[in-house]
Amino acid sequence: MSPAPTLPESLNLEHHVSKRVRTIQPSTMKALGALVGSRKVLTLAGGTPHSSLFPMSHATFTLPRLSTLNGEVSDWQEGQAVTELAHLKKTGPGTEKDEGGILDLRDILQYGLSNGYPELVHQLEELNTLLHGKTISDSSIYISLGNTDGVSKVFQLLVEPDVDTVLTEEYSFASSLNSARAKGAKLHPVKVDGDGLIPEDLEQTLSTWDVQTQGRKPHLLYTIPCGQEHDVIIMEDDPYFPLQFAAYEADIARREADLTNTKSRLPRAPENAQDDDPQVVARIFNEYAGVKSFLSRDVDGRVVRIDTFSKVFGPGVRLGWVTANSQFVERLLRIGETTTQVPNGLSQAVLASYLSDKHWGIGGFIRWMWGVRLEYQKKRDYFLDKLAIHVSSELVSTVPCGAGMFQWLRVDLSSHPRYNRRLIGSSAETAASLALDTAGQEPVIPPGLAVKTSNTSAVYSSNTGELMDELWTHLLEQGNVVLLPAKAFLVEKDGVDSSDRLNYFRATFAGDLENIDAALAAFGSSIKVWFERG
């Protein structure tokens, strides 16, 4: 057998770390705690509460048995699945033997390591390798308190407050953008199309960046990796990686047949995790609708990947993990020691039990994600079926999504009688077009009809924003239905009018089927009334 190839170490990327984070010193108390925890010593140090005073001695969780994880979760949803119990107990003298957990409840409720329990860290390293491979020798993991915490810490790690500009997609997740702003970052949008970020626009942005007028050249790209010749760090925030779907098929009979064939690809789940083959399970999981992660292509250590249990286990466990080169993870650990301290012990213990060979194992967890993925794919298909029934395609169009929990709906405002978009070449023409008396003495322009300059010499106006605000209010008040408007995700660029790209709503298909049907029916009838009213 040939020896395993030697993996490269990451580049020295310390210059990307913010000055304040570089100066954070390791916690003496945390280091002392780790020393005491690894040796039998008599200690009068620290201030750990006595475990006999924790008012919990046993916690039991019910989970679907590994043998049921064959691409179908309906039995679990309906309360008919074969289940088993996971136990978290106090162990040791005078207590029952541990029968289902892998961590002592006394340790779970105690102060822990800032980087999380080693058992869970090792499990996540194995999961990462199965899903993304390993491309650098010093790839490391930091356990976060969920996706938002991971994003926030990475911005703190890499953003010099009030100096750095972060590149991001033109439309992005508002909470993450607010986190960047809270860390003192400025934001610069890069254009997107139906396939995501446009590489040519990213290249143009970086190649023509003027440090004299725009400040320090961006060195962090949020979400989409490209342009490494510009010494850019890639922040891959990817909570929906497990929820990638096959292409939408409108023919229901053919769709159901394809789904049956899909489920048959997975080998039947065994009774015991030791008898499962995680590598085979992971290969099939990755081949299905398999868009590879950017982490899987990273040989420099430039990718900082952020994962979460929120979408495939439950947001309330508040746990996720950050994968990066060892330099960055060491600094994230220092940030954690001065902020959140320790990931939630109970959540770590529960997840470690699920991922252990006593229950699902790593392969079983991938099987569970496979089932969740197919369930959301069915919800996506149901949403699109009902959209075609309830909503006029002349008013609203969409492109079936390939992952996640959302559909973007495009409203064709050009057919609305009050839609107004005009190209204008000078201030005089601006005044004339807006029925103003005197060029250079224009009054305040009404909201939604702002005149902005593009990155060319042309000037134009649009009332898309005003109409979409009006439509959103109409849908809420008359149709009793709520969708998220595109402006909630827009990253604005000074001097560039993006108003014509605001004619979108984001709608989720994660809810109950009855709610999806009723909401789309209300949306379809209400938007029709709004257009007819003019």
Side-chain angles (χ1 to χ4, degrees):
M1 181 180 293
S2 302
T6 302
L7 296 176
E9 288 188 7
S10 61
L11 302 177
N12 185 345
L13 299 169
E14 184 183 11
H15 60 285
H16 286 281
V17 178
S18 67
K19 294 178 181 178
R20 292 180 182 177
V21 172
R22 288 185 216 174
T23 64
I24 300 176
Q25 298 299 310
S27 168
T28 303
M29 294 187 67
K30 291 295 182 185
L32 182 60
L35 173 65
V36 171
S38 63
R39 299 174 59 182
K40 293 183 178 179
V41 296
L42 299 173
T43 177
L44 296 176
T48 55
H50 199 276
S51 61
S52 67
L53 298 176
F54 298 157
M56 183 186 295
S57 63
H58 189 126
T60 301
F61 301 87
T62 303
L63 64 155
R65 187 172 293 176
L66 170 62
S67 59
T68 70
L69 305 182
N70 292 297
E72 184 65 62
V73 297
S74 58
D75 284 350
W76 172 254
Q77 291 176 298
E78 297 165 6
Q80 299 175 359
V82 179
T83 61
E84 62 188 23
L85 301 179
H87 304 286
L88 304 177
K89 299 180 178 180
K90 285 185 179 181
T91 59
T95 63
E96 298 179 56
K97 184 179 179 180
D98 177 24
E99 298 176 351
I102 63 170
L103 295 170
D104 189 328
L105 192 57
R106 295 174 301 179
D107 296 329
I108 293 167
L109 297 176
Q110 190 55 271
Y111 291 121
L113 300 175
S114 292
N115 197 33
Y117 291 124
E119 293 90 341
L120 184 57
V121 172
H122 294 154
Q123 291 167 337
L124 294 178
E125 287 175 341
E126 182 180 350
L127 180 63
N128 263 4
T129 300
L130 288 169
L131 296 181
H132 311 291
K134 188 169 183 178
T135 55
I136 58 173
S137 61
D138 62 325
S139 176
S140 300
I141 281 178
Y142 173 79
I143 296 183
S144 66
L145 277 66
N147 201 76
T148 301
D149 177 61
V151 167
S152 177
K153 284 188 169 72
V154 173
F155 278 130
Q156 184 175 348
L157 173 76
L158 298 173
V159 168
E160 201 68 62
D162 303 321
V163 173
D164 278 329
T165 297
V166 173
L167 301 175
T168 185
E169 295 159 317
E170 185 178 11
Y171 296 93
S172 192
F173 185 46
S175 293
S176 295
L177 302 183
N178 288 337
S179 178
R181 295 184 182 103
K183 297 298 183 291
K186 295 169 283 187
L187 300 173
H188 187 92
V190 179
K191 291 181 180 179
V192 295
D193 58 17
D195 295 319
L197 184 145
I198 300 174
E200 292 80 6
D201 191 58
L202 175 62
E203 171 65 30
Q204 175 74 8
T205 297
L206 289 168
S207 297
T208 60
W209 191 268
D210 186 345
V211 295
Q212 298 298 323
T213 60
Q214 295 176 279
R216 178 176 168 177
K217 184 176 179 179
H219 67 105
L220 175 60
L221 172 64
Y222 175 68
T223 299
I224 306 296
C226 192
Q228 293 186 5
E229 68 271 22
H230 294 282
D231 193 20
V232 170
I233 298 298
I234 300 155
M235 186 173 172
E236 184 180 20
D237 178 12
D238 198 7
Y240 297 109
F241 176 82
L243 304 183
Q244 297 184 54
F245 310 137
Y248 170 68
E249 172 59 67
D251 186 318
I252 296 178
R254 183 182 300 175
R255 188 166 77 207
E256 291 179 349
D258 289 344
L259 190 60
T260 299
N261 292 332
T262 293
K263 294 175 183 176
S264 68
R265 301 181 194 178
L266 202 64
R268 296 292 298 178
E271 290 291 331
N272 302 304
Q274 296 91 331
D275 299 325
D276 206 0
D277 191 336
Q279 291 188 347
V280 171
V281 174
R283 176 176 55 78
I284 296 171
F285 181 87
N286 287 333
E287 287 173 352
Y288 181 76
V291 176
K292 295 177 63 177
S293 68
F294 297 108
L295 181 68
S296 68
R297 313 170 195 183
D298 177 29
V299 295
D300 289 343
R302 292 186 178 278
V303 174
V304 180
R305 179 177 173 83
I306 300 168
D307 285 283
T308 179
F309 288 103
S310 295
K311 305 303 184 290
V312 293
F313 194 96
V317 299
R318 301 317 306 147
L319 280 183
W321 67 101
V322 179
T323 308
N325 66 68
S326 58
Q327 303 170 62
F328 287 175
V329 168
E330 188 274 336
R331 288 291 93 187
L332 288 172
L333 180 58
R334 303 285 86 83
I335 293 173
E337 289 175 347
T338 61
T339 55
T340 52
Q341 289 287 325
V342 179
N344 183 283
L346 278 173
S347 293
Q348 288 189 81
V350 171
L351 289 164
S353 293
Y354 273 67
L355 295 173
S356 75
D357 283 347
K358 293 184 178 181
H359 295 292
W360 286 358
I362 306 299
F365 183 68
I366 298 174
R367 289 174 177 274
W368 171 256
M369 292 194 296
W370 171 276
V372 173
R373 162 194 280 174
L374 296 183
E375 184 65 19
Y376 279 118
Q377 178 174 304
K378 288 190 290 185
K379 287 177 176 289
R380 187 257 338 237
D381 294 345
Y382 181 87
F383 180 101
L384 293 171
D385 292 344
K386 294 300 181 179
L387 181 72
I389 294 172
H390 294 307
V391 184
S392 169
S393 60
E394 294 180 356
L395 303 180
V396 177
S397 60
T398 191
V399 176
C401 73
M405 297 177 173
F406 307 103
Q407 275 294 140
W408 282 95
L409 307 178
R410 181 182 181 275
V411 180
D412 184 11
L413 288 180
S414 63
S415 62
H416 193 277
R418 287 187 284 118
Y419 175 71
N420 177 24
R421 181 184 188 276
R422 299 180 181 180
L423 287 171
I424 303 166
S426 67
S427 60
E429 292 177 65
T430 301
S433 297
L434 295 177
L436 304 176
D437 295 331
T438 308
Q441 300 180 12
E442 299 87 348
V444 175
I445 297 176
L449 199 60
V451 177
K452 302 177 183 178
T453 58
S454 69
N455 52 7
T456 67
S457 58
V459 179
Y460 62 95
S461 64
S462 170
N463 64 342
T464 300
E466 181 183 37
L467 290 176
M468 289 299 290
D469 286 349
E470 181 185 305
L471 174 57
W472 186 90
T473 302
H474 171 83
L475 292 172
L476 176 62
E477 295 181 350
Q478 304 299 319
N480 198 37
V481 62
V482 177
L483 299 91
L484 278 177
K487 72 176 184 180
F489 306 91
L490 177 66
V491 182
E492 293 195 90
K493 185 176 180 181
D494 291 343
V496 175
D497 189 338
S498 299
S499 60
D500 258 12
R501 295 168 67 83
L502 291 178
N503 56 318
Y504 290 86
F505 286 120
R506 194 191 77 171
T508 182
F509 49 82
D512 295 333
L513 299 185
E514 296 82 1
N515 180 77
I516 292 173
D517 187 19
L520 286 176
F523 173 58
S525 60
S526 297
I527 195 171
K528 181 181 179 182
V529 169
W530 184 75
F531 267 87
E532 291 175 346
R533 190 180 65 187

